[in-house]
Amino acid sequence: MPFAGLLPELGHVALALALLVALVQAFLPLLGAQRGLAPLMAVARPAAYLQLALVGLAFAILSRAFAAGDFSLRYVAENSNSLLPMVYRYTAVWGAHEGSLLLWALVLALWTAAVAAFSRALPLPVVARVLGVMGVVAVGFLAFLIFTSNPFERLLPAAAEGRDLNPLLQDPGLIVHPPMLYAGYVGFAVPFAFAIAALLEGRIDAQWLRWTRPWTNVAWAFLTIGIALGSWWAYYELGWGGWWFWDPVENASFMPWLAGAALLHSQAVTEKRGSFGGWTLLLAIAAFSLSLLGTFLVRSGVLTSVHAFAADPTRGLFVLVFLGIVIGGSLLLYALRAPDADANAKPFAAASRETLLLVNNLLLATACAMVLLGTLYPMLADALDLGKISVGPPYFAMMFLLLMAPLVALVPFGPLTRWQREDIGTPLRMLAPWALLAVVAGIAAFVLAPQGGWKTAAGVLGAAWVGFGTLRFLVTRWTQPGARLTREMLGMSLAHFGIAVFLVGALLVEGLNQQRETAVRPGGQVAIGGDCFVLRGIEHHEGPNYTSDRATVDVLAGCRDKVATLHPEKRRYAAGGQVMTEVGLLPGVTRDLYVALGEPLGDDAWALRVHVKPFVRWIWAGALLMALGGLVTATDRRFRQPARAARQEAA
């Protein structure tokens, strides 16, 4: 057998060696830190680099197998096809369970190596404990890969042809959405590892806590981008025109995002004022634990979802046991060592920035608990024979709105309120004119909205309030004598502007959305929102691995002037015969025009679904601004300064 034929076995060996290296990384540095043995602690960094090299080698070998169409591998045969375009052969590597788990392990190895490379200013015991904890996490995932989800399992005899990649995944969204999402998920392993290191050491050191803040910001930014990309992908790929459905697996990514947002604010208080130490540790544990919970939900088969990968009880049991060990062990450690975390906390009055950030944390944590309850309760009720219970979008939307409304109301106050003690009248006077302007804008939106007046008014009012309040802070900071606008402040302001932009998109599209579905023959038209959509005809189209019925739809502004021609499709894939809807989109800053081709209805008529989506792109623009805010904050030089200098600059 030529060497190329043995590459899958080499990939399996690389994973096995990576597991052994992870075991060394998990055990020796922690032992060295406990006993003060520098040689054992020094093992952590080279082990992290070696683990990355081995997992990277395995990933490269699996990518080569997909590119070459090696159907002797079960995973390749089940998720590829000789007709599959080359770009999707590479993305198919993480298109199903085994490959997505390998991508997870690779991203974890990248984060671990990055921590090893950029932590040389930290004390060796701290680095040893952090990398040791990340090694423990790596052991779990690599063992999961090798023993239950081996992507290099041979298929004997080799398949003559592959089943093809799920048509839903044959999209550019697969290129960027999972890597970004995993970068966020796995990135929370860094603050988790630092939290466990702090608990093992028995104290929180301000300098290395400050060092963790950029990592948390970057992880949260990646997760924000990943969720936004997933929302955008669902919007244009599924053909229903929605951007969020409170799908259980959507919720699984949203919960660590909420916990991460709370963690960002809590870390700031702990680092600058010494307060909320125990709460910060708990949130760091919660954010990563919820990431692991999402893994369990997606890969155990307990959920029915377009996102779910597997329905294997063995895999589910493995993940559940690992989840219990990591979460249970970390919470036990927290219970034993956390009470001393706030020993150096500074007192603060009810009217202070600390109080506002505490309320922020409580609201975000409650929202996270609400989403968790709504996601898990139907499964628990079914498991306990309490009947089939469905928890749908109305529950999530109403509860989330009730919790987020006060949070939105408080956002402008935080930056304008001083630490420790504040005269509440000061920020009220500063914000009063802007509050009045926001109310006027909301009333105007209510009056002018052709439909959905309350949602439109709420979106404009909330966005104006947050946007004007953030602008007031920037002006105040810019004009204050001797004050500087740091990157941390700029990042915070960008994130808050992102909230304002998101509110416009989310609430206005819900309030002003128009849709119509009707039967149309060639030459017929659909009128909606003052525009007309004319079906010119349906043509047969041949793709690389599919055939399709392709419509030609002219968009007439005011039902007079043609502004665009759209081509929605109904595709049938050669392998498996699955049918997919490809929508026609005319994007715009203030609205999207959205056309989806339905089923043939006989007598030359086709079902045609048309949507007008006002401000829908502001949803993703707001998310990108929030992510940009996190990334800008992470670059603040204060996080790389000694403790005393950093405290002086923060003041």
Side-chain angles (χ1 to χ4, degrees):
M1 180 181 291
F3 177 74
L6 296 176
L7 282 177
E9 281 67 32
L10 178 61
H12 190 262
V13 171
L15 286 180
L17 291 174
L19 176 59
L20 293 175
V21 173
L23 285 168
V24 171
Q25 180 185 328
F27 178 71
L28 292 184
L30 289 175
L31 179 63
Q34 184 68 26
R35 298 189 176 182
L37 301 175
L40 294 183
M41 290 188 280
V43 170
R45 282 196 174 92
Y49 300 143
L50 182 57
Q51 185 191 150
L52 173 60
L54 291 168
V55 176
L57 175 62
F59 191 87
I61 290 173
L62 186 61
S63 299
R64 189 252 176 211
F66 269 93
D70 186 358
F71 300 131
S72 69
L73 293 184
R74 182 182 300 275
Y75 182 65
V76 177
E78 290 177 348
N79 297 283
S80 186
N81 187 273
S82 58
L83 298 176
L84 188 67
M86 185 58 69
V87 63
Y88 297 136
R89 294 192 193 186
Y90 285 107
T91 57
V93 174
W94 55 81
H97 173 79
E98 290 86 350
S100 69
L101 201 65
L102 181 57
L103 176 63
W104 185 291
L106 177 63
V107 174
L108 178 59
L110 284 167
W111 276 103
T112 305
V115 171
F118 295 103
S119 61
R120 300 191 180 278
L122 295 178
L124 185 58
V126 173
V127 177
R129 288 191 175 99
V130 170
L131 294 179
V133 173
M134 297 185 76
V136 172
V137 177
V139 167
F141 277 97
L142 289 169
F144 189 22
L145 261 172
I146 293 170
F147 298 117
T148 72
S149 310
N150 181 15
F152 299 107
E153 180 183 349
R154 289 286 192 178
L155 188 63
L156 297 175
E161 184 57 89
R163 296 181 186 176
D164 204 6
L165 181 65
N166 185 338
L168 277 172
L169 305 179
Q170 296 184 34
D171 186 271
L174 187 63
I175 302 173
V176 288
H177 169 55
M180 283 291 179
L181 198 66
Y182 285 9
Y185 268 154
V186 183
F188 284 128
V190 180
F192 170 80
F194 272 91
I196 299 301
L199 292 170
L200 290 172
E201 190 173 349
R203 67 186 182 94
I204 298 179
D205 184 271
Q207 183 170 350
W208 63 259
L209 176 62
R210 183 181 315 107
W211 190 85
T212 66
R213 291 188 59 195
W215 298 91
T216 309
N217 275 275
V218 171
W220 184 82
F222 278 140
L223 185 58
T224 304
I225 296 172
I227 293 173
L229 288 170
S231 171
W232 161 240
W233 186 6
Y235 167 73
Y236 74 79
E237 179 65 23
L238 297 180
W240 63 288
W243 59 276
W244 193 262
F245 194 65
W246 297 102
D247 177 277
V249 183
E250 290 176 341
N251 295 347
S253 65
F254 193 39
M255 288 185 289
W257 186 90
L258 290 168
L263 176 61
L264 292 177
H265 295 86
S266 187
Q267 282 181 330
V269 182
T270 305
E271 182 249 321
K272 294 179 180 178
R273 311 301 299 174
S275 302
F276 305 175
W279 184 240
T280 298
L281 294 174
L282 187 60
L283 284 172
I285 294 170
F288 185 62
S289 297
L290 289 168
S291 298
L292 293 179
L293 179 63
T295 304
F296 168 71
L297 293 176
V298 175
R299 292 168 176 83
S300 63
V302 300
L303 293 178
T304 301
S305 166
V306 66
H307 302 83
F309 285 123
D312 187 334
T314 303
R315 293 171 177 173
L317 181 61
F318 189 106
V319 176
L320 188 60
V321 171
F322 179 62
L323 199 68
I325 293 173
V326 173
I327 298 177
S330 57
L331 291 178
L332 177 61
L333 185 62
Y334 176 84
L336 295 173
R337 306 296 294 272
D340 296 331
D342 292 322
N344 299 320
K346 299 178 181 178
F348 56 90
S352 64
R353 189 182 295 188
E354 289 95 330
T355 299
L356 290 176
L357 290 172
L358 178 61
V359 174
N360 164 288
N361 272 219
L362 290 175
L363 289 171
L364 287 171
T366 304
C368 183
M370 178 273 297
V371 176
L372 180 65
L373 178 64
T375 304
L376 295 185
Y377 184 71
M379 295 184 298
L380 294 175
D382 187 29
L384 298 173
D385 288 330
L386 299 177
K388 296 286 186 179
I389 299 174
S390 177
V391 179
Y395 160 81
F396 290 108
M398 178 57 69
M399 294 299 295
F400 194 73
L401 180 63
L402 291 175
L403 291 168
M404 290 299 102
L407 183 63
V408 170
L410 292 174
V411 165
F413 286 97
L416 293 171
T417 304
R418 291 182 298 180
W419 295 105
Q420 199 165 356
R421 184 179 298 275
E422 177 64 278
D423 177 9
I424 192 63
T426 300
L428 284 173
R429 287 190 296 272
M430 296 171 71
L431 291 170
W434 303 99
L436 180 61
L437 189 58
V439 170
V440 171
I443 294 172
F446 180 82
V447 173
L448 297 174
Q451 63 183 54
W454 286 109
K455 290 182 179 179
T456 304
V460 172
L461 171 62
W465 169 242
V466 174
F468 290 151
T470 304
L471 184 62
R472 182 67 173 91
F473 164 74
L474 290 174
V475 171
T476 301
R477 192 73 188 181
W478 190 264
T479 57
Q480 186 176 349
R484 294 191 304 112
L485 189 65
T486 65
R487 290 189 181 183
E488 183 181 6
M489 296 174 185
L490 179 60
M492 174 194 65
S493 300
L494 285 171
H496 288 181
F497 277 127
I499 294 173
V501 173
F502 174 84
L503 287 172
V504 170
L507 289 173
L508 266 64
V509 74
E510 292 297 317
L512 301 177
N513 172 61
Q514 298 179 67
Q515 64 181 62
R516 188 178 175 190
E517 184 171 3
T518 186
V520 184
R521 293 183 177 88
Q525 67 179 28
V526 180
I528 185 173
D531 300 317
C532 289
F533 298 79
V534 183
L535 178 63
R536 297 302 185 190
I538 306 288
E539 297 179 349
H540 183 75
H541 177 73
E542 295 282 345
N545 62 336
Y546 63 86
T547 61
S548 73
D549 295 308
R550 188 178 188 186
T552 298
V553 179
D554 287 341
V555 182
L556 307 181
C559 295
R560 294 186 304 273
D561 304 320
K562 187 173 83 169
V563 294
T565 299
L566 306 178
H567 297 285
E569 295 181 63
K570 198 68 120 176
R571 293 180 178 179
R572 296 171 184 83
Y573 284 80
Q578 300 101 318
V579 179
M580 287 295 300
T581 298
E582 295 292 323
V583 304
L585 266 175
L586 180 61
V589 176
T590 59
R591 67 172 187 172
D592 275 15
L593 301 181
Y594 183 109
V595 183
L597 184 65
E599 300 296 330
L601 303 176
D603 199 21
D604 233 11
W606 287 77
L608 199 67
R609 185 164 61 254
V610 179
H611 298 261
V612 179
K613 297 285 188 181
F615 297 96
V616 66
R617 292 177 183 266
W618 290 48
I619 294 170
W620 306 301
L624 291 178
L625 274 176
M626 288 186 244
L628 180 61
L631 295 174
V632 170
T633 299
T635 65
D636 195 308
R637 65 179 184 177
R638 189 176 64 83
F639 299 134
R640 301 184 296 274
Q641 292 178 345
R644 182 175 297 179
R647 283 196 298 269
Q648 290 174 350
E649 185 166 338

